[in-house]
């Protein structure tokens, strides 16, 4: 009944609208998984551009992370571990925001032919950290606040993503929505509190899946980044006016 070993399962309780979206998610996940490489060496065209190599070696760990998060989100949903599915869906939004804005910034720098700016960007994203001691030693590695990037993603044409992220965060935190309203329900007439980890499954699915489907944006970014790597290669190997 599974549409894919790493994807969301389809069963008789899934309506056709959700089923179509699940098939699209699972297909995107399969394609992303197939894009993963086991190594990238400084050879071939990368001998001509270490900068292009840096971008390619940043691209793959992002890809591995997205595949693992998306697979984990689906696996936890299939096992009805809703809280862990929420955690993975929230992490997918965070990862998409970082990667999408990186690709947007990279395209702008390529258009400006700003090689120094490209190098600074890829260095920051590759080694970004919030560790105070590391940032003091290497200021260029300071990570951008994730909420800043999610807000930028919303302005890039994904309305509602910040609100959705905030709601997922409420579910992930050990507060009312992450505990009391997650696992319990009160019968106000009998004053009996009942507990279950399977309350409101359809509502939970809608929120979790909405975050998970952002992996399709990653696929778009991956295609654009493949093109960007070629452009960086060309930019760094363009003949100088004196050599023409």
């Amino acid at each position: 009944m599974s549409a894919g070993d790493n994807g969301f399962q389809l069963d008789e309780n899934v309506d056709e609208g959700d089923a179509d979206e699940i098939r699209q998610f699972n297909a995107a996940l399969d394609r992303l998984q197939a894009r993963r490489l086991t190594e990238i060496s400084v050879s071939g065209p990368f001998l001509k551009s270490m900068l292009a190599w840096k971008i390619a070696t940043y691209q793959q760990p992002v890809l591995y992370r997205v595949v693992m998060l998306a697979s984990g989100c689906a696996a936890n949903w299939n096992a009805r571990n809703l809280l862990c599915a929420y955690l993975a869906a929230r992490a997918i939004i965070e990862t998409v925001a970082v990667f999408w804005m990186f690709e947007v910034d990279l395209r702008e720098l390529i258009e400006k032919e700003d090689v120094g700016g490209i190098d600074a960007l890829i260095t920051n994203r590759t080694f970004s950290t919030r560790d105070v001691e590391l940032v003091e030693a290497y200021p260029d590695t300071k990570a951008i606040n994730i909420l800043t990037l999610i807000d930028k993603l919303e302005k890039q044409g994904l309305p509602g993503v910040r609100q959705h992220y905030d709601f997922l965060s409420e579910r992930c935190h050990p507060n009312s929505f992450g505990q009391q309203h997650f696992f319990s329900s009160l019968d106000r007439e009998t004053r009996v509190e009942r507990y279950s980890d399977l309350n409101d499954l359809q509502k939970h699915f809608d929120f979790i899946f909405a975050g998970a489907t952002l992996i399709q944006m990653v696929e778009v970014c991956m295609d654009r980044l493949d093109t960007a790597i070629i452009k960086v290669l060309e930019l760094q190997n363009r003949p100088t006016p004196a050599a023409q």
Side-chain angles (χ1 to χ4, degrees):
M1 294 201 310
S2 175
D5 293 338
N6 296 319
F8 286 85
Q9 291 178 344
L10 290 168
D11 57 44
E12 63 276 4
N13 297 319
V14 178
D15 64 46
E16 193 54 36
D18 285 342
D20 285 341
E21 292 187 3
I22 288 172
R23 293 188 190 99
Q24 292 175 27
F25 172 93
N26 291 348
L29 178 54
D30 286 343
R31 290 191 298 270
L32 288 171
Q33 185 164 6
R35 295 177 81 137
R36 295 184 305 172
L37 303 177
T38 57
E39 64 178 30
I40 299 176
S41 61
V42 183
S43 61
F46 292 133
L47 287 170
K48 299 180 179 180
S49 174
M50 182 58 70
L51 192 52
W53 178 84
K54 287 181 180 180
I55 297 170
T57 56
Y58 171 74
Q59 180 185 28
Q60 282 295 314
V62 173
L63 186 56
Y64 269 78
R65 176 181 172 84
V66 169
V67 168
M68 187 170 285
L69 285 172
S71 299
C73 185
N76 278 292
W77 171 260
N78 295 340
R80 295 301 186 262
N81 187 331
L82 306 185
L83 183 55
C84 286
Y86 268 109
L87 286 161
R90 182 180 68 160
I92 288 171
I93 293 178
E94 293 171 344
T95 305
V96 169
V98 172
F99 190 52
W100 185 272
M101 294 314 305
F102 164 76
E103 192 276 328
V104 168
D105 291 343
L106 178 61
R107 271 189 289 143
E108 292 179 354
L109 291 167
I110 290 173
E111 290 175 3
K112 296 176 181 177
E113 301 184 356
D114 185 352
V115 174
I118 295 171
D119 190 38
L121 175 66
I122 190 59
T123 297
N124 174 267
R125 296 302 187 272
T126 300
F127 300 105
S128 61
T129 180
R130 305 293 291 182
D131 185 277
V132 175
E133 291 185 2
L134 286 174
V135 170
E136 286 181 355
Y138 307 100
D140 292 342
T141 65
K142 184 177 181 180
I144 299 173
N145 185 284
I146 191 60
L147 295 180
T148 300
L149 293 172
I150 291 173
D151 288 341
K152 286 185 176 181
L153 182 61
E154 178 147 355
K155 293 177 182 178
Q156 283 286 319
L158 197 62
V161 66
R162 173 60 189 273
Q163 182 179 15
H164 192 76
Y165 176 79
D166 288 343
F167 179 82
L168 295 185
S169 295
E170 283 293 303
R171 287 296 193 186
C172 292
H173 293 158
N175 53 22
S176 180
F177 281 103
Q179 291 182 167
Q180 193 72 16
H181 291 300
F182 203 135
F183 301 110
S184 69
S185 60
L186 174 65
D187 186 322
R188 296 186 179 278
E189 293 184 3
T190 63
R191 305 297 297 175
V192 173
E193 189 101 14
R194 294 182 174 86
Y195 303 95
S196 171
D197 52 8
L198 299 177
N199 291 325
D200 299 323
L201 275 180
Q202 184 61 48
K203 183 183 293 185
H204 286 307
F205 174 80
D206 291 342
F207 284 116
I208 290 167
F209 192 68
T213 54
L214 265 63
I215 68 165
Q216 295 175 73
M217 294 178 65
V218 173
E219 192 170 23
V220 173
C221 268
M222 288 292 167
D223 290 338
R224 290 177 178 172
L225 201 57
D226 287 344
T227 301
I229 290 170
I230 294 172
K231 289 183 177 180
V232 170
L233 278 163
E234 293 173 347
L235 179 60
Q236 286 207 289
N237 289 277
R238 182 179 300 167
T240 61
Q244 291 179 341

